[in-house]
Amino acid sequence: MRILRAGDHKRMPWKNGKGETVEIAVFPADASINDFDWRISMAAVAEDGPFSIFPGIDRTLAILNGNGMVLDVAGSTPVLLTTASDPLAFPADIPVAARLQDGAITDLNVMTRRDGLAHTLIRIDVAGSKTVPLRPSTCLFFCHRGALSFRGDGETGALAAGDALLIEDAAATVLEIDGEAKCYLASITTG
């Protein structure tokens, strides 16, 4: 288990140059925007426009802040995503256009290379104590708002808003959480 502090996340321009992304974690650790196996990041979206194309990549997106945006994924009915919506999975190598509802948003992105990996992203609201089962996979537990303490696999620690806990080779274990927080759990499996 490794804590990834918010202040250490890497900031970089979007692939299409029209904004900034905050990279929370990437594998391999030295991978670029073009050659990662998996990547978890946040992005501030301040204007309508197309998403960057990532050949061979699957993506899941959740809205963290703001009034939402409509995603027009090629071949599908447009979908309104808000902070209350479940994360939306879609291929990152087809045209996708975003239209903001009422002002800028911040989103959370999980991306994996389709030819060997798969992923899930779920929202977890913590109010007191909670047990979070972890699938045998690489897991990233992201604390979006609030603060919490955790116990798992003989280790303990605390996360504040923007921090993440990276658990490599989670062997079907559990994470014991205490606190008040809005969180997300990304699980990355070979597939």
mmCIF file of all heavy atoms in Angstrom, residues 120-164:
data_model
loop_
_atom_site.group_PDB
_atom_site.id
_atom_site.type_symbol
_atom_site.label_atom_id
_atom_site.label_comp_id
_atom_site.label_asym_id
_atom_site.label_seq_id
_atom_site.Cartn_x
_atom_site.Cartn_y
_atom_site.Cartn_z
ATOM 1 N N THR A 120 -12.839 -1.111 -13.354
ATOM 2 C CA THR A 120 -14.130 -0.638 -12.855
ATOM 3 C C THR A 120 -13.855 0.608 -12.022
ATOM 4 O O THR A 120 -12.748 0.802 -11.511
ATOM 5 C CB THR A 120 -14.850 -1.687 -11.982
ATOM 6 O OG1 THR A 120 -14.018 -2.004 -10.857
ATOM 7 C CG2 THR A 120 -15.178 -2.935 -12.771
ATOM 8 N N LEU A 121 -14.885 1.450 -11.895
ATOM 9 C CA LEU A 121 -14.811 2.640 -11.047
ATOM 10 C C LEU A 121 -16.147 2.771 -10.347
ATOM 11 O O LEU A 121 -17.197 2.802 -11.008
ATOM 12 C CB LEU A 121 -14.520 3.890 -11.890
ATOM 13 C CG LEU A 121 -14.466 5.218 -11.125
ATOM 14 C CD1 LEU A 121 -13.297 5.236 -10.137
ATOM 15 C CD2 LEU A 121 -14.369 6.397 -12.089
ATOM 16 N N ILE A 122 -16.111 2.822 -9.005
ATOM 17 C CA ILE A 122 -17.337 3.000 -8.234
ATOM 18 C C ILE A 122 -17.157 4.133 -7.230
ATOM 19 O O ILE A 122 -16.049 4.404 -6.773
ATOM 20 C CB ILE A 122 -17.764 1.703 -7.506
ATOM 21 C CG1 ILE A 122 -16.667 1.231 -6.552
ATOM 22 C CG2 ILE A 122 -18.132 0.618 -8.503
ATOM 23 C CD1 ILE A 122 -17.104 0.101 -5.634
ATOM 24 N N ARG A 123 -18.260 4.785 -6.917
ATOM 25 C CA ARG A 123 -18.280 5.832 -5.894
ATOM 26 C C ARG A 123 -18.598 5.172 -4.557
ATOM 27 O O ARG A 123 -19.466 4.294 -4.477
ATOM 28 C CB ARG A 123 -19.316 6.897 -6.226
ATOM 29 C CG ARG A 123 -19.324 8.061 -5.259
ATOM 30 C CD ARG A 123 -20.308 9.178 -5.605
ATOM 31 N NE ARG A 123 -21.629 8.693 -5.919
ATOM 32 C CZ ARG A 123 -22.195 8.791 -7.125
ATOM 33 N NH1 ARG A 123 -21.560 9.339 -8.129
ATOM 34 N NH2 ARG A 123 -23.407 8.324 -7.336
ATOM 35 N N ILE A 124 -17.910 5.605 -3.511
ATOM 36 C CA ILE A 124 -18.142 5.083 -2.164
ATOM 37 C C ILE A 124 -18.271 6.268 -1.219
ATOM 38 O O ILE A 124 -17.325 7.045 -1.059
ATOM 39 C CB ILE A 124 -16.989 4.160 -1.708
ATOM 40 C CG1 ILE A 124 -16.874 2.957 -2.643
ATOM 41 C CG2 ILE A 124 -17.190 3.727 -0.257
ATOM 42 C CD1 ILE A 124 -15.691 2.067 -2.373
ATOM 43 N N ASP A 125 -19.445 6.408 -0.609
ATOM 44 C CA ASP A 125 -19.656 7.447 0.392
ATOM 45 C C ASP A 125 -19.391 6.847 1.761
ATOM 46 O O ASP A 125 -19.935 5.789 2.107
ATOM 47 C CB ASP A 125 -21.074 7.997 0.296
ATOM 48 C CG ASP A 125 -21.299 8.758 -1.008
ATOM 49 O OD1 ASP A 125 -20.390 9.517 -1.409
ATOM 50 O OD2 ASP A 125 -22.356 8.581 -1.622
ATOM 51 N N VAL A 126 -18.532 7.510 2.531
ATOM 52 C CA VAL A 126 -18.162 7.037 3.859
ATOM 53 C C VAL A 126 -18.755 7.984 4.885
ATOM 54 O O VAL A 126 -18.507 9.188 4.839
ATOM 55 C CB VAL A 126 -16.623 6.969 4.013
ATOM 56 C CG1 VAL A 126 -16.242 6.466 5.403
ATOM 57 C CG2 VAL A 126 -16.000 6.106 2.927
ATOM 58 N N ALA A 127 -19.546 7.425 5.804
ATOM 59 C CA ALA A 127 -20.130 8.194 6.903
ATOM 60 C C ALA A 127 -20.024 7.325 8.151
ATOM 61 O O ALA A 127 -20.924 6.558 8.464
ATOM 62 C CB ALA A 127 -21.581 8.553 6.607
ATOM 63 N N GLY A 128 -18.876 7.402 8.816
ATOM 64 C CA GLY A 128 -18.617 6.535 9.959
ATOM 65 C C GLY A 128 -17.655 5.434 9.559
ATOM 66 O O GLY A 128 -16.629 5.679 8.932
ATOM 67 N N SER A 129 -18.006 4.195 9.905
ATOM 68 C CA SER A 129 -17.158 3.043 9.591
ATOM 69 C C SER A 129 -17.716 2.290 8.391
ATOM 70 O O SER A 129 -18.932 2.160 8.249
ATOM 71 C CB SER A 129 -17.085 2.097 10.791
ATOM 72 O OG SER A 129 -16.459 2.743 11.867
ATOM 73 N N LYS A 130 -16.818 1.776 7.575
ATOM 74 C CA LYS A 130 -17.233 1.040 6.383
ATOM 75 C C LYS A 130 -16.156 0.016 6.042
ATOM 76 O O LYS A 130 -14.971 0.286 6.172
ATOM 77 C CB LYS A 130 -17.431 2.013 5.223
ATOM 78 C CG LYS A 130 -18.083 1.416 4.009
ATOM 79 C CD LYS A 130 -18.394 2.517 3.001
ATOM 80 C CE LYS A 130 -19.469 2.110 2.070
ATOM 81 N NZ LYS A 130 -20.806 2.464 2.439
ATOM 82 N N THR A 131 -16.581 -1.137 5.589
ATOM 83 C CA THR A 131 -15.673 -2.164 5.090
ATOM 84 C C THR A 131 -15.791 -2.189 3.573
ATOM 85 O O THR A 131 -16.888 -2.329 3.036
ATOM 86 C CB THR A 131 -16.029 -3.548 5.675
ATOM 87 O OG1 THR A 131 -15.910 -3.482 7.098
ATOM 88 C CG2 THR A 131 -15.109 -4.626 5.132
ATOM 89 N N VAL A 132 -14.665 -2.033 2.900
ATOM 90 C CA VAL A 132 -14.638 -2.012 1.439
ATOM 91 C C VAL A 132 -13.891 -3.246 0.945
ATOM 92 O O VAL A 132 -12.677 -3.365 1.152
ATOM 93 C CB VAL A 132 -13.946 -0.730 0.921
ATOM 94 C CG1 VAL A 132 -13.882 -0.722 -0.596
ATOM 95 C CG2 VAL A 132 -14.640 0.514 1.450
ATOM 96 N N PRO A 133 -14.611 -4.191 0.312
ATOM 97 C CA PRO A 133 -13.913 -5.362 -0.235
ATOM 98 C C PRO A 133 -13.078 -4.970 -1.457
ATOM 99 O O PRO A 133 -13.501 -4.149 -2.259
ATOM 100 C CB PRO A 133 -15.048 -6.311 -0.628
ATOM 101 C CG PRO A 133 -16.282 -5.495 -0.642
ATOM 102 C CD PRO A 133 -16.037 -4.236 0.110
ATOM 103 N N LEU A 134 -11.896 -5.550 -1.554
ATOM 104 C CA LEU A 134 -11.007 -5.288 -2.681
ATOM 105 C C LEU A 134 -10.865 -6.556 -3.509
ATOM 106 O O LEU A 134 -10.562 -7.618 -2.971
ATOM 107 C CB LEU A 134 -9.626 -4.839 -2.194
ATOM 108 C CG LEU A 134 -9.599 -3.588 -1.316
ATOM 109 C CD1 LEU A 134 -8.181 -3.326 -0.821
ATOM 110 C CD2 LEU A 134 -10.141 -2.386 -2.060
ATOM 111 N N ARG A 135 -11.094 -6.419 -4.799
ATOM 112 C CA ARG A 135 -10.923 -7.556 -5.713
ATOM 113 C C ARG A 135 -9.432 -7.828 -5.903
ATOM 114 O O ARG A 135 -8.613 -6.924 -5.730
ATOM 115 C CB ARG A 135 -11.559 -7.217 -7.058
ATOM 116 C CG ARG A 135 -13.052 -7.015 -6.960
ATOM 117 C CD ARG A 135 -13.672 -6.490 -8.226
ATOM 118 N NE ARG A 135 -13.167 -7.128 -9.425
ATOM 119 C CZ ARG A 135 -13.299 -6.584 -10.624
ATOM 120 N NH1 ARG A 135 -13.904 -5.434 -10.790
ATOM 121 N NH2 ARG A 135 -12.831 -7.206 -11.683
ATOM 122 N N PRO A 136 -9.076 -9.060 -6.282
ATOM 123 C CA PRO A 136 -7.671 -9.326 -6.592
ATOM 124 C C PRO A 136 -7.270 -8.525 -7.835
ATOM 125 O O PRO A 136 -7.612 -8.894 -8.943
ATOM 126 C CB PRO A 136 -7.610 -10.832 -6.853
ATOM 127 C CG PRO A 136 -8.946 -11.374 -6.508
ATOM 128 C CD PRO A 136 -9.903 -10.235 -6.400
ATOM 129 N N SER A 137 -6.623 -7.421 -7.637
ATOM 130 C CA SER A 137 -6.302 -6.501 -8.725
ATOM 131 C C SER A 137 -5.390 -5.409 -8.188
ATOM 132 O O SER A 137 -4.991 -5.437 -7.030
ATOM 133 C CB SER A 137 -7.598 -5.870 -9.271
ATOM 134 O OG SER A 137 -8.257 -5.138 -8.247
ATOM 135 N N THR A 138 -5.105 -4.444 -9.037
ATOM 136 C CA THR A 138 -4.501 -3.197 -8.577
ATOM 137 C C THR A 138 -5.657 -2.268 -8.270
ATOM 138 O O THR A 138 -6.553 -2.088 -9.097
ATOM 139 C CB THR A 138 -3.602 -2.588 -9.668
ATOM 140 O OG1 THR A 138 -2.515 -3.479 -9.917
ATOM 141 C CG2 THR A 138 -3.064 -1.232 -9.259
ATOM 142 N N CYS A 139 -5.665 -1.692 -7.071
ATOM 143 C CA CYS A 139 -6.764 -0.811 -6.650
ATOM 144 C C CYS A 139 -6.224 0.567 -6.301
ATOM 145 O O CYS A 139 -5.131 0.690 -5.745
ATOM 146 C CB CYS A 139 -7.476 -1.378 -5.427
ATOM 147 S SG CYS A 139 -8.293 -2.950 -5.716
ATOM 148 N N LEU A 140 -7.004 1.575 -6.623
ATOM 149 C CA LEU A 140 -6.700 2.932 -6.189
ATOM 150 C C LEU A 140 -7.953 3.456 -5.503
ATOM 151 O O LEU A 140 -9.027 3.508 -6.103
ATOM 152 C CB LEU A 140 -6.313 3.841 -7.350
ATOM 153 C CG LEU A 140 -5.874 5.223 -6.865
ATOM 154 C CD1 LEU A 140 -4.486 5.559 -7.380
ATOM 155 C CD2 LEU A 140 -6.854 6.287 -7.266
ATOM 156 N N PHE A 141 -7.797 3.811 -4.221
ATOM 157 C CA PHE A 141 -8.891 4.355 -3.426
ATOM 158 C C PHE A 141 -8.634 5.853 -3.314
ATOM 159 O O PHE A 141 -7.642 6.274 -2.720
ATOM 160 C CB PHE A 141 -8.914 3.681 -2.046
ATOM 161 C CG PHE A 141 -10.132 4.001 -1.243
ATOM 162 C CD1 PHE A 141 -11.331 3.354 -1.499
ATOM 163 C CD2 PHE A 141 -10.093 4.937 -0.228
ATOM 164 C CE1 PHE A 141 -12.468 3.643 -0.758
ATOM 165 C CE2 PHE A 141 -11.206 5.236 0.511
ATOM 166 C CZ PHE A 141 -12.406 4.585 0.253
ATOM 167 N N PHE A 142 -9.501 6.660 -3.926
ATOM 168 C CA PHE A 142 -9.315 8.107 -4.027
ATOM 169 C C PHE A 142 -10.284 8.828 -3.103
ATOM 170 O O PHE A 142 -11.492 8.615 -3.178
ATOM 171 C CB PHE A 142 -9.547 8.545 -5.481
ATOM 172 C CG PHE A 142 -9.493 10.036 -5.687
ATOM 173 C CD1 PHE A 142 -8.312 10.729 -5.531
ATOM 174 C CD2 PHE A 142 -10.630 10.735 -6.044
ATOM 175 C CE1 PHE A 142 -8.254 12.105 -5.720
ATOM 176 C CE2 PHE A 142 -10.592 12.105 -6.244
ATOM 177 C CZ PHE A 142 -9.398 12.792 -6.077
ATOM 178 N N CYS A 143 -9.752 9.657 -2.207
ATOM 179 C CA CYS A 143 -10.565 10.466 -1.299
ATOM 180 C C CYS A 143 -10.812 11.820 -1.967
ATOM 181 O O CYS A 143 -9.913 12.657 -2.021
ATOM 182 C CB CYS A 143 -9.852 10.640 0.035
ATOM 183 S SG CYS A 143 -10.783 11.618 1.238
ATOM 184 N N HIS A 144 -12.009 11.999 -2.507
ATOM 185 C CA HIS A 144 -12.326 13.246 -3.196
ATOM 186 C C HIS A 144 -12.620 14.386 -2.221
ATOM 187 O O HIS A 144 -12.072 15.474 -2.344
ATOM 188 C CB HIS A 144 -13.513 13.043 -4.141
ATOM 189 C CG HIS A 144 -14.101 14.307 -4.666
ATOM 190 N ND1 HIS A 144 -13.335 15.284 -5.263
ATOM 191 C CD2 HIS A 144 -15.369 14.772 -4.663
ATOM 192 C CE1 HIS A 144 -14.115 16.293 -5.610
ATOM 193 N NE2 HIS A 144 -15.352 16.003 -5.254
ATOM 194 N N ARG A 145 -13.496 14.130 -1.265
ATOM 195 C CA ARG A 145 -13.859 15.143 -0.256
ATOM 196 C C ARG A 145 -13.791 14.510 1.118
ATOM 197 O O ARG A 145 -14.051 13.324 1.276
ATOM 198 C CB ARG A 145 -15.291 15.609 -0.469
ATOM 199 C CG ARG A 145 -15.462 16.594 -1.552
ATOM 200 C CD ARG A 145 -16.829 17.276 -1.434
ATOM 201 N NE ARG A 145 -17.101 17.964 -2.662
ATOM 202 C CZ ARG A 145 -18.159 17.763 -3.412
ATOM 203 N NH1 ARG A 145 -19.082 16.905 -3.050
ATOM 204 N NH2 ARG A 145 -18.313 18.426 -4.535
ATOM 205 N N GLY A 146 -13.511 15.337 2.127
ATOM 206 C CA GLY A 146 -13.512 14.854 3.496
ATOM 207 C C GLY A 146 -12.160 14.289 3.888
ATOM 208 O O GLY A 146 -11.126 14.618 3.307
ATOM 209 N N ALA A 147 -12.188 13.426 4.896
ATOM 210 C CA ALA A 147 -10.965 12.799 5.413
ATOM 211 C C ALA A 147 -11.344 11.453 6.015
ATOM 212 O O ALA A 147 -12.482 11.255 6.451
ATOM 213 C CB ALA A 147 -10.313 13.688 6.459
ATOM 214 N N LEU A 148 -10.380 10.555 6.038
ATOM 215 C CA LEU A 148 -10.648 9.224 6.575
ATOM 216 C C LEU A 148 -9.362 8.582 7.052
ATOM 217 O O LEU A 148 -8.264 8.996 6.690
ATOM 218 C CB LEU A 148 -11.321 8.346 5.509
ATOM 219 C CG LEU A 148 -10.568 8.136 4.193
ATOM 220 C CD1 LEU A 148 -9.608 6.955 4.267
ATOM 221 C CD2 LEU A 148 -11.547 7.935 3.065
ATOM 222 N N SER A 149 -9.524 7.564 7.884
ATOM 223 C CA SER A 149 -8.414 6.698 8.252
ATOM 224 C C SER A 149 -8.717 5.314 7.683
ATOM 225 O O SER A 149 -9.882 4.986 7.438
ATOM 226 C CB SER A 149 -8.235 6.640 9.772
ATOM 227 O OG SER A 149 -9.396 6.133 10.387
ATOM 228 N N PHE A 150 -7.678 4.529 7.456
ATOM 229 C CA PHE A 150 -7.880 3.200 6.881
ATOM 230 C C PHE A 150 -6.990 2.182 7.585
ATOM 231 O O PHE A 150 -5.953 2.517 8.160
ATOM 232 C CB PHE A 150 -7.608 3.201 5.367
ATOM 233 C CG PHE A 150 -6.162 3.462 5.010
ATOM 234 C CD1 PHE A 150 -5.224 2.434 4.978
ATOM 235 C CD2 PHE A 150 -5.744 4.744 4.703
ATOM 236 C CE1 PHE A 150 -3.906 2.685 4.656
ATOM 237 C CE2 PHE A 150 -4.417 5.004 4.380
ATOM 238 C CZ PHE A 150 -3.498 3.962 4.357
ATOM 239 N N ARG A 151 -7.444 0.931 7.509
ATOM 240 C CA ARG A 151 -6.692 -0.221 7.961
ATOM 241 C C ARG A 151 -6.864 -1.315 6.923
ATOM 242 O O ARG A 151 -7.978 -1.541 6.451
ATOM 243 C CB ARG A 151 -7.218 -0.745 9.307
ATOM 244 C CG ARG A 151 -7.044 0.186 10.460
ATOM 245 C CD ARG A 151 -7.758 -0.291 11.715
ATOM 246 N NE ARG A 151 -9.179 -0.613 11.563
ATOM 247 C CZ ARG A 151 -10.158 0.274 11.393
ATOM 248 N NH1 ARG A 151 -9.884 1.554 11.335
ATOM 249 N NH2 ARG A 151 -11.417 -0.108 11.268
ATOM 250 N N GLY A 152 -5.779 -1.981 6.615
ATOM 251 C CA GLY A 152 -5.884 -3.078 5.666
ATOM 252 C C GLY A 152 -4.572 -3.791 5.514
ATOM 253 O O GLY A 152 -3.524 -3.145 5.439
ATOM 254 N N ASP A 153 -4.623 -5.106 5.533
ATOM 255 C CA ASP A 153 -3.438 -5.918 5.304
ATOM 256 C C ASP A 153 -2.314 -5.553 6.277
ATOM 257 O O ASP A 153 -1.147 -5.486 5.891
ATOM 258 C CB ASP A 153 -2.990 -5.766 3.852
ATOM 259 C CG ASP A 153 -2.485 -7.069 3.270
ATOM 260 O OD1 ASP A 153 -2.770 -8.138 3.855
ATOM 261 O OD2 ASP A 153 -1.794 -7.018 2.235
ATOM 262 N N GLY A 154 -2.677 -5.242 7.525
ATOM 263 C CA GLY A 154 -1.687 -4.924 8.546
ATOM 264 C C GLY A 154 -1.138 -3.511 8.486
ATOM 265 O O GLY A 154 -0.241 -3.160 9.254
ATOM 266 N N GLU A 155 -1.651 -2.689 7.590
ATOM 267 C CA GLU A 155 -1.180 -1.305 7.469
ATOM 268 C C GLU A 155 -2.288 -0.341 7.837
ATOM 269 O O GLU A 155 -3.468 -0.651 7.681
ATOM 270 C CB GLU A 155 -0.696 -1.028 6.041
ATOM 271 C CG GLU A 155 0.497 -1.888 5.644
ATOM 272 C CD GLU A 155 1.073 -1.487 4.299
ATOM 273 O OE1 GLU A 155 1.277 -0.274 4.080
ATOM 274 O OE2 GLU A 155 1.301 -2.380 3.475
ATOM 275 N N THR A 156 -1.895 0.843 8.316
ATOM 276 C CA THR A 156 -2.856 1.889 8.665
ATOM 277 C C THR A 156 -2.370 3.214 8.094
ATOM 278 O O THR A 156 -1.197 3.365 7.757
ATOM 279 C CB THR A 156 -3.010 2.039 10.201
ATOM 280 O OG1 THR A 156 -1.740 2.437 10.753
ATOM 281 C CG2 THR A 156 -3.469 0.743 10.839
ATOM 282 N N GLY A 157 -3.299 4.161 7.982
ATOM 283 C CA GLY A 157 -2.929 5.482 7.497
ATOM 284 C C GLY A 157 -4.148 6.377 7.433
ATOM 285 O O GLY A 157 -5.240 5.991 7.868
ATOM 286 N N ALA A 158 -3.958 7.563 6.888
ATOM 287 C CA ALA A 158 -5.038 8.539 6.765
ATOM 288 C C ALA A 158 -4.957 9.217 5.409
ATOM 289 O O ALA A 158 -3.868 9.420 4.870
ATOM 290 C CB ALA A 158 -4.950 9.571 7.881
ATOM 291 N N LEU A 159 -6.130 9.536 4.870
ATOM 292 C CA LEU A 159 -6.222 10.264 3.604
ATOM 293 C C LEU A 159 -7.026 11.529 3.816
ATOM 294 O O LEU A 159 -8.061 11.506 4.496
ATOM 295 C CB LEU A 159 -6.918 9.415 2.533
ATOM 296 C CG LEU A 159 -6.303 8.075 2.152
ATOM 297 C CD1 LEU A 159 -7.163 7.376 1.104
ATOM 298 C CD2 LEU A 159 -4.883 8.235 1.658
ATOM 299 N N ALA A 160 -6.569 12.625 3.217
ATOM 300 C CA ALA A 160 -7.305 13.885 3.184
ATOM 301 C C ALA A 160 -7.826 14.073 1.764
ATOM 302 O O ALA A 160 -7.519 13.292 0.858
ATOM 303 C CB ALA A 160 -6.389 15.037 3.587
ATOM 304 N N ALA A 161 -8.613 15.106 1.552
ATOM 305 C CA ALA A 161 -9.175 15.384 0.228
ATOM 306 C C ALA A 161 -8.058 15.468 -0.811
ATOM 307 O O ALA A 161 -7.062 16.166 -0.622
ATOM 308 C CB ALA A 161 -9.968 16.674 0.257
ATOM 309 N N GLY A 162 -8.237 14.725 -1.903
ATOM 310 C CA GLY A 162 -7.273 14.710 -2.995
ATOM 311 C C GLY A 162 -6.218 13.625 -2.892
ATOM 312 O O GLY A 162 -5.511 13.354 -3.854
ATOM 313 N N ASP A 163 -6.087 12.995 -1.723
ATOM 314 C CA ASP A 163 -5.125 11.911 -1.549
ATOM 315 C C ASP A 163 -5.692 10.611 -2.111
ATOM 316 O O ASP A 163 -6.909 10.455 -2.235
ATOM 317 C CB ASP A 163 -4.807 11.687 -0.067
ATOM 318 C CG ASP A 163 -4.052 12.833 0.579
ATOM 319 O OD1 ASP A 163 -3.480 13.680 -0.151
ATOM 320 O OD2 ASP A 163 -4.029 12.875 1.828
ATOM 321 N N ALA A 164 -4.799 9.672 -2.386
ATOM 322 C CA ALA A 164 -5.213 8.357 -2.874
ATOM 323 C C ALA A 164 -4.357 7.285 -2.214
ATOM 324 O O ALA A 164 -3.233 7.543 -1.778
ATOM 325 C CB ALA A 164 -5.074 8.288 -4.392
#
